[in-house]
PDB file of all heavy atoms in Angstrom:
ATOM      1  N   SER Q 325    -129.874  80.413 132.259  1.00  0.00           N
ATOM      2  CA  SER Q 325    -129.482  79.053 132.630  1.00  0.00           C
ATOM      3  C   SER Q 325    -129.797  78.125 131.456  1.00  0.00           C
ATOM      4  O   SER Q 325    -129.690  76.910 131.566  1.00  0.00           O
ATOM      5  CB  SER Q 325    -130.225  78.606 133.891  1.00  0.00           C
ATOM      6  OG  SER Q 325    -131.617  78.644 133.653  1.00  0.00           O
ATOM      7  N   ASP Q 326    -130.210  78.730 130.325  1.00  0.00           N
ATOM      8  CA  ASP Q 326    -130.623  77.960 129.149  1.00  0.00           C
ATOM      9  C   ASP Q 326    -129.403  77.329 128.464  1.00  0.00           C
ATOM     10  O   ASP Q 326    -128.476  78.034 128.067  1.00  0.00           O
ATOM     11  CB  ASP Q 326    -131.345  78.921 128.187  1.00  0.00           C
ATOM     12  CG  ASP Q 326    -131.639  78.255 126.854  1.00  0.00           C
ATOM     13  OD1 ASP Q 326    -131.657  77.007 126.799  1.00  0.00           O
ATOM     14  OD2 ASP Q 326    -131.819  78.987 125.858  1.00  0.00           O
ATOM     15  N   PRO Q 327    -129.384  76.001 128.322  1.00  0.00           N
ATOM     16  CA  PRO Q 327    -128.196  75.349 127.756  1.00  0.00           C
ATOM     17  C   PRO Q 327    -127.897  75.817 126.326  1.00  0.00           C
ATOM     18  O   PRO Q 327    -126.734  75.934 125.945  1.00  0.00           O
ATOM     19  CB  PRO Q 327    -128.543  73.858 127.790  1.00  0.00           C
ATOM     20  CG  PRO Q 327    -130.009  73.783 127.976  1.00  0.00           C
ATOM     21  CD  PRO Q 327    -130.428  75.017 128.697  1.00  0.00           C
ATOM     22  N   GLU Q 328    -128.950  76.084 125.552  1.00  0.00           N
ATOM     23  CA  GLU Q 328    -128.707  76.502 124.163  1.00  0.00           C
ATOM     24  C   GLU Q 328    -128.045  77.877 124.120  1.00  0.00           C
ATOM     25  O   GLU Q 328    -127.171  78.129 123.293  1.00  0.00           O
ATOM     26  CB  GLU Q 328    -130.013  76.488 123.355  1.00  0.00           C
ATOM     27  CG  GLU Q 328    -130.631  75.104 123.189  1.00  0.00           C
ATOM     28  CD  GLU Q 328    -129.597  74.017 122.821  1.00  0.00           C
ATOM     29  OE1 GLU Q 328    -128.755  74.277 121.926  1.00  0.00           O
ATOM     30  OE2 GLU Q 328    -129.610  72.937 123.446  1.00  0.00           O
ATOM     31  N   ALA Q 329    -128.471  78.760 125.008  1.00  0.00           N
ATOM     32  CA  ALA Q 329    -127.847  80.093 125.051  1.00  0.00           C
ATOM     33  C   ALA Q 329    -126.382  79.987 125.464  1.00  0.00           C
ATOM     34  O   ALA Q 329    -125.519  80.668 124.911  1.00  0.00           O
ATOM     35  CB  ALA Q 329    -128.610  80.983 126.031  1.00  0.00           C
ATOM     36  N   ILE Q 330    -126.109  79.113 126.418  1.00  0.00           N
ATOM     37  CA  ILE Q 330    -124.722  78.936 126.857  1.00  0.00           C
ATOM     38  C   ILE Q 330    -123.889  78.382 125.702  1.00  0.00           C
ATOM     39  O   ILE Q 330    -122.804  78.889 125.392  1.00  0.00           O
ATOM     40  CB  ILE Q 330    -124.646  78.000 128.091  1.00  0.00           C
ATOM     41  CG1 ILE Q 330    -125.418  78.616 129.271  1.00  0.00           C
ATOM     42  CG2 ILE Q 330    -123.193  77.753 128.501  1.00  0.00           C
ATOM     43  CD1 ILE Q 330    -125.584  77.693 130.469  1.00  0.00           C
ATOM     44  N   LYS Q 331    -124.441  77.380 125.008  1.00  0.00           N
ATOM     45  CA  LYS Q 331    -123.707  76.767 123.891  1.00  0.00           C
ATOM     46  C   LYS Q 331    -123.435  77.765 122.777  1.00  0.00           C
ATOM     47  O   LYS Q 331    -122.357  77.773 122.182  1.00  0.00           O
ATOM     48  CB  LYS Q 331    -124.493  75.570 123.335  1.00  0.00           C
ATOM     49  CG  LYS Q 331    -124.441  74.363 124.247  1.00  0.00           C
ATOM     50  CD  LYS Q 331    -125.281  73.219 123.723  1.00  0.00           C
ATOM     51  CE  LYS Q 331    -125.495  72.197 124.832  1.00  0.00           C
ATOM     52  NZ  LYS Q 331    -126.390  71.112 124.452  1.00  0.00           N
ATOM     53  N   LYS Q 332    -124.428  78.617 122.509  1.00  0.00           N
ATOM     54  CA  LYS Q 332    -124.255  79.607 121.439  1.00  0.00           C
ATOM     55  C   LYS Q 332    -123.090  80.552 121.766  1.00  0.00           C
ATOM     56  O   LYS Q 332    -122.257  80.852 120.915  1.00  0.00           O
ATOM     57  CB  LYS Q 332    -125.564  80.410 121.297  1.00  0.00           C
ATOM     58  CG  LYS Q 332    -125.651  81.176 120.010  1.00  0.00           C
ATOM     59  CD  LYS Q 332    -126.998  81.874 119.864  1.00  0.00           C
ATOM     60  CE  LYS Q 332    -126.759  83.338 119.616  1.00  0.00           C
ATOM     61  NZ  LYS Q 332    -127.638  84.237 120.317  1.00  0.00           N
ATOM     62  N   ASN Q 333    -123.021  80.966 123.014  1.00  0.00           N
ATOM     63  CA  ASN Q 333    -121.935  81.871 123.415  1.00  0.00           C
ATOM     64  C   ASN Q 333    -120.580  81.174 123.436  1.00  0.00           C
ATOM     65  O   ASN Q 333    -119.564  81.767 123.077  1.00  0.00           O
ATOM     66  CB  ASN Q 333    -122.248  82.495 124.775  1.00  0.00           C
ATOM     67  CG  ASN Q 333    -123.279  83.605 124.646  1.00  0.00           C
ATOM     68  OD1 ASN Q 333    -122.963  84.677 124.160  1.00  0.00           O
ATOM     69  ND2 ASN Q 333    -124.518  83.322 125.026  1.00  0.00           N
ATOM     70  N   VAL Q 334    -120.608  79.916 123.831  1.00  0.00           N
ATOM     71  CA  VAL Q 334    -119.360  79.141 123.836  1.00  0.00           C
ATOM     72  C   VAL Q 334    -118.844  79.014 122.394  1.00  0.00           C
ATOM     73  O   VAL Q 334    -117.660  79.198 122.118  1.00  0.00           O
ATOM     74  CB  VAL Q 334    -119.586  77.756 124.486  1.00  0.00           C
ATOM     75  CG1 VAL Q 334    -118.438  76.806 124.180  1.00  0.00           C
ATOM     76  CG2 VAL Q 334    -119.754  77.911 125.995  1.00  0.00           C
ATOM     77  N   ARG Q 335    -119.769  78.752 121.472  1.00  0.00           N
ATOM     78  CA  ARG Q 335    -119.371  78.657 120.057  1.00  0.00           C
ATOM     79  C   ARG Q 335    -118.725  79.965 119.597  1.00  0.00           C
ATOM     80  O   ARG Q 335    -117.643  79.961 119.014  1.00  0.00           O
ATOM     81  CB  ARG Q 335    -120.594  78.325 119.195  1.00  0.00           C
ATOM     82  CG  ARG Q 335    -120.326  78.429 117.697  1.00  0.00           C
ATOM     83  CD  ARG Q 335    -121.573  78.151 116.857  1.00  0.00           C
ATOM     84  NE  ARG Q 335    -121.801  76.732 116.671  1.00  0.00           N
ATOM     85  CZ  ARG Q 335    -121.271  76.008 115.668  1.00  0.00           C
ATOM     86  NH1 ARG Q 335    -120.473  76.582 114.788  1.00  0.00           N
ATOM     87  NH2 ARG Q 335    -121.524  74.733 115.560  1.00  0.00           N
ATOM     88  N   GLY Q 336    -119.383  81.071 119.911  1.00  0.00           N
ATOM     89  CA  GLY Q 336    -118.852  82.382 119.514  1.00  0.00           C
ATOM     90  C   GLY Q 336    -117.444  82.616 120.056  1.00  0.00           C
ATOM     91  O   GLY Q 336    -116.559  83.081 119.342  1.00  0.00           O
ATOM     92  N   LEU Q 337    -117.249  82.245 121.317  1.00  0.00           N
ATOM     93  CA  LEU Q 337    -115.937  82.461 121.943  1.00  0.00           C
ATOM     94  C   LEU Q 337    -114.860  81.589 121.292  1.00  0.00           C
ATOM     95  O   LEU Q 337    -113.740  82.041 121.067  1.00  0.00           O
ATOM     96  CB  LEU Q 337    -116.021  82.177 123.446  1.00  0.00           C
ATOM     97  CG  LEU Q 337    -116.771  83.235 124.270  1.00  0.00           C
ATOM     98  CD1 LEU Q 337    -117.138  82.693 125.650  1.00  0.00           C
ATOM     99  CD2 LEU Q 337    -115.929  84.502 124.420  1.00  0.00           C
ATOM    100  N   PHE Q 338    -115.224  80.351 120.977  1.00  0.00           N
ATOM    101  CA  PHE Q 338    -114.231  79.468 120.331  1.00  0.00           C
ATOM    102  C   PHE Q 338    -113.935  79.929 118.900  1.00  0.00           C
ATOM    103  O   PHE Q 338    -112.782  79.880 118.455  1.00  0.00           O
ATOM    104  CB  PHE Q 338    -114.697  78.008 120.338  1.00  0.00           C
ATOM    105  CG  PHE Q 338    -114.280  77.281 121.589  1.00  0.00           C
ATOM    106  CD1 PHE Q 338    -115.224  76.893 122.529  1.00  0.00           C
ATOM    107  CD2 PHE Q 338    -112.947  76.987 121.827  1.00  0.00           C
ATOM    108  CE1 PHE Q 338    -114.839  76.233 123.690  1.00  0.00           C
ATOM    109  CE2 PHE Q 338    -112.550  76.323 122.981  1.00  0.00           C
ATOM    110  CZ  PHE Q 338    -113.498  75.941 123.916  1.00  0.00           C
ATOM    111  N   GLU Q 339    -114.975  80.357 118.176  1.00  0.00           N
ATOM    112  CA  GLU Q 339    -114.729  80.844 116.803  1.00  0.00           C
ATOM    113  C   GLU Q 339    -113.687  81.951 116.830  1.00  0.00           C
ATOM    114  O   GLU Q 339    -112.746  81.960 116.047  1.00  0.00           O
ATOM    115  CB  GLU Q 339    -116.036  81.355 116.177  1.00  0.00           C
ATOM    116  CG  GLU Q 339    -116.913  80.228 115.664  1.00  0.00           C
ATOM    117  CD  GLU Q 339    -118.308  80.687 115.248  1.00  0.00           C
ATOM    118  OE1 GLU Q 339    -118.687  81.854 115.548  1.00  0.00           O
ATOM    119  OE2 GLU Q 339    -119.024  79.873 114.645  1.00  0.00           O
ATOM    120  N   LYS Q 340    -113.874  82.847 117.791  1.00  0.00           N
ATOM    121  CA  LYS Q 340    -112.957  83.975 117.900  1.00  0.00           C
ATOM    122  C   LYS Q 340    -111.564  83.495 118.332  1.00  0.00           C
ATOM    123  O   LYS Q 340    -110.549  83.911 117.770  1.00  0.00           O
ATOM    124  CB  LYS Q 340    -113.514  84.947 118.945  1.00  0.00           C
ATOM    125  CG  LYS Q 340    -113.135  86.372 118.690  1.00  0.00           C
ATOM    126  CD  LYS Q 340    -114.045  87.294 119.459  1.00  0.00           C
ATOM    127  CE  LYS Q 340    -113.319  88.563 119.826  1.00  0.00           C
ATOM    128  NZ  LYS Q 340    -113.994  89.296 120.874  1.00  0.00           N
ATOM    129  N   PHE Q 341    -111.565  82.597 119.306  1.00  0.00           N
ATOM    130  CA  PHE Q 341    -110.280  82.112 119.842  1.00  0.00           C
ATOM    131  C   PHE Q 341    -109.452  81.421 118.763  1.00  0.00           C
ATOM    132  O   PHE Q 341    -108.241  81.604 118.659  1.00  0.00           O
ATOM    133  CB  PHE Q 341    -110.546  81.138 120.999  1.00  0.00           C
ATOM    134  CG  PHE Q 341    -109.299  80.559 121.599  1.00  0.00           C
ATOM    135  CD1 PHE Q 341    -108.565  81.281 122.527  1.00  0.00           C
ATOM    136  CD2 PHE Q 341    -108.841  79.304 121.222  1.00  0.00           C
ATOM    137  CE1 PHE Q 341    -107.391  80.764 123.068  1.00  0.00           C
ATOM    138  CE2 PHE Q 341    -107.680  78.775 121.762  1.00  0.00           C
ATOM    139  CZ  PHE Q 341    -106.952  79.507 122.684  1.00  0.00           C
ATOM    140  N   LEU Q 342    -110.141  80.642 117.923  1.00  0.00           N
ATOM    141  CA  LEU Q 342    -109.403  79.842 116.936  1.00  0.00           C
ATOM    142  C   LEU Q 342    -108.891  80.672 115.769  1.00  0.00           C
ATOM    143  O   LEU Q 342    -108.143  80.192 114.921  1.00  0.00           O
ATOM    144  CB  LEU Q 342    -110.277  78.686 116.433  1.00  0.00           C
ATOM    145  CG  LEU Q 342    -110.502  77.589 117.479  1.00  0.00           C
ATOM    146  CD1 LEU Q 342    -111.594  76.634 117.048  1.00  0.00           C
ATOM    147  CD2 LEU Q 342    -109.209  76.829 117.775  1.00  0.00           C
ATOM    148  N   ARG Q 343    -109.300  81.952 115.750  1.00  0.00           N
ATOM    149  CA  ARG Q 343    -108.717  82.834 114.732  1.00  0.00           C
ATOM    150  C   ARG Q 343    -107.246  83.105 115.045  1.00  0.00           C
ATOM    151  O   ARG Q 343    -106.483  83.462 114.165  1.00  0.00           O
ATOM    152  CB  ARG Q 343    -109.487  84.160 114.679  1.00  0.00           C
ATOM    153  CG  ARG Q 343    -110.730  84.018 113.814  1.00  0.00           C
ATOM    154  CD  ARG Q 343    -111.450  85.342 113.661  1.00  0.00           C
ATOM    155  NE  ARG Q 343    -112.881  85.093 113.672  1.00  0.00           N
ATOM    156  CZ  ARG Q 343    -113.778  85.807 114.316  1.00  0.00           C
ATOM    157  NH1 ARG Q 343    -113.399  86.863 115.030  1.00  0.00           N
ATOM    158  NH2 ARG Q 343    -115.043  85.491 114.274  1.00  0.00           N
ATOM    159  N   GLU Q 344    -106.910  82.954 116.321  1.00  0.00           N
ATOM    160  CA  GLU Q 344    -105.493  83.123 116.662  1.00  0.00           C
ATOM    161  C   GLU Q 344    -104.753  81.904 116.113  1.00  0.00           C
ATOM    162  O   GLU Q 344    -105.154  80.777 116.356  1.00  0.00           O
ATOM    163  CB  GLU Q 344    -105.321  83.199 118.190  1.00  0.00           C
ATOM    164  CG  GLU Q 344    -106.088  84.360 118.791  1.00  0.00           C
ATOM    165  CD  GLU Q 344    -106.138  84.302 120.322  1.00  0.00           C
ATOM    166  OE1 GLU Q 344    -105.156  83.860 120.937  1.00  0.00           O
ATOM    167  OE2 GLU Q 344    -107.186  84.687 120.879  1.00  0.00           O
ATOM    168  N   PRO Q 345    -103.699  82.148 115.351  1.00  0.00           N
ATOM    169  CA  PRO Q 345    -103.054  81.028 114.661  1.00  0.00           C
ATOM    170  C   PRO Q 345    -102.240  80.146 115.613  1.00  0.00           C
ATOM    171  O   PRO Q 345    -101.785  80.593 116.664  1.00  0.00           O
ATOM    172  CB  PRO Q 345    -102.125  81.723 113.657  1.00  0.00           C
ATOM    173  CG  PRO Q 345    -101.841  83.055 114.278  1.00  0.00           C
ATOM    174  CD  PRO Q 345    -103.043  83.440 115.074  1.00  0.00           C
ATOM    175  N   GLY Q 346    -102.134  78.880 115.220  1.00  0.00           N
ATOM    176  CA  GLY Q 346    -101.144  77.995 115.850  1.00  0.00           C
ATOM    177  C   GLY Q 346    -101.570  77.308 117.128  1.00  0.00           C
ATOM    178  O   GLY Q 346    -100.923  76.367 117.567  1.00  0.00           O
ATOM    179  N   LEU Q 347    -102.675  77.762 117.761  1.00  0.00           N
ATOM    180  CA  LEU Q 347    -103.024  77.178 119.055  1.00  0.00           C
ATOM    181  C   LEU Q 347    -103.764  75.852 118.882  1.00  0.00           C
ATOM    182  O   LEU Q 347    -104.784  75.795 118.210  1.00  0.00           O
ATOM    183  CB  LEU Q 347    -103.902  78.154 119.850  1.00  0.00           C
ATOM    184  CG  LEU Q 347    -103.227  79.471 120.229  1.00  0.00           C
ATOM    185  CD1 LEU Q 347    -104.250  80.434 120.786  1.00  0.00           C
ATOM    186  CD2 LEU Q 347    -102.120  79.228 121.248  1.00  0.00           C
ATOM    187  N   GLU Q 348    -103.249  74.812 119.509  1.00  0.00           N
ATOM    188  CA  GLU Q 348    -103.948  73.527 119.491  1.00  0.00           C
ATOM    189  C   GLU Q 348    -104.440  73.205 120.888  1.00  0.00           C
ATOM    190  O   GLU Q 348    -103.679  73.254 121.850  1.00  0.00           O
ATOM    191  CB  GLU Q 348    -102.999  72.422 119.031  1.00  0.00           C
ATOM    192  CG  GLU Q 348    -102.965  72.281 117.526  1.00  0.00           C
ATOM    193  CD  GLU Q 348    -102.289  70.990 117.105  1.00  0.00           C
ATOM    194  OE1 GLU Q 348    -102.619  69.925 117.680  1.00  0.00           O
ATOM    195  OE2 GLU Q 348    -101.429  71.059 116.234  1.00  0.00           O
ATOM    196  N   ALA Q 349    -105.740  72.899 120.970  1.00  0.00           N
ATOM    197  CA  ALA Q 349    -106.311  72.647 122.291  1.00  0.00           C
ATOM    198  C   ALA Q 349    -106.091  71.206 122.717  1.00  0.00           C
ATOM    199  O   ALA Q 349    -106.265  70.278 121.924  1.00  0.00           O
ATOM    200  CB  ALA Q 349    -107.797  72.954 122.274  1.00  0.00           C
TER     201      ALA Q 349
END
Side-chain angles (χ1 to χ4, degrees):
S325 59
D326 172 21
E328 296 316 315
I330 298 171
K331 286 177 195 175
K332 196 176 126 221
N333 283 287
V334 165
R335 171 182 278 272
L337 287 164
F338 272 111
E339 281 171 349
K340 209 162 150 197
F341 179 81
L342 289 168
R343 277 184 217 137
E344 300 170 35
L347 296 170
E348 273 193 47

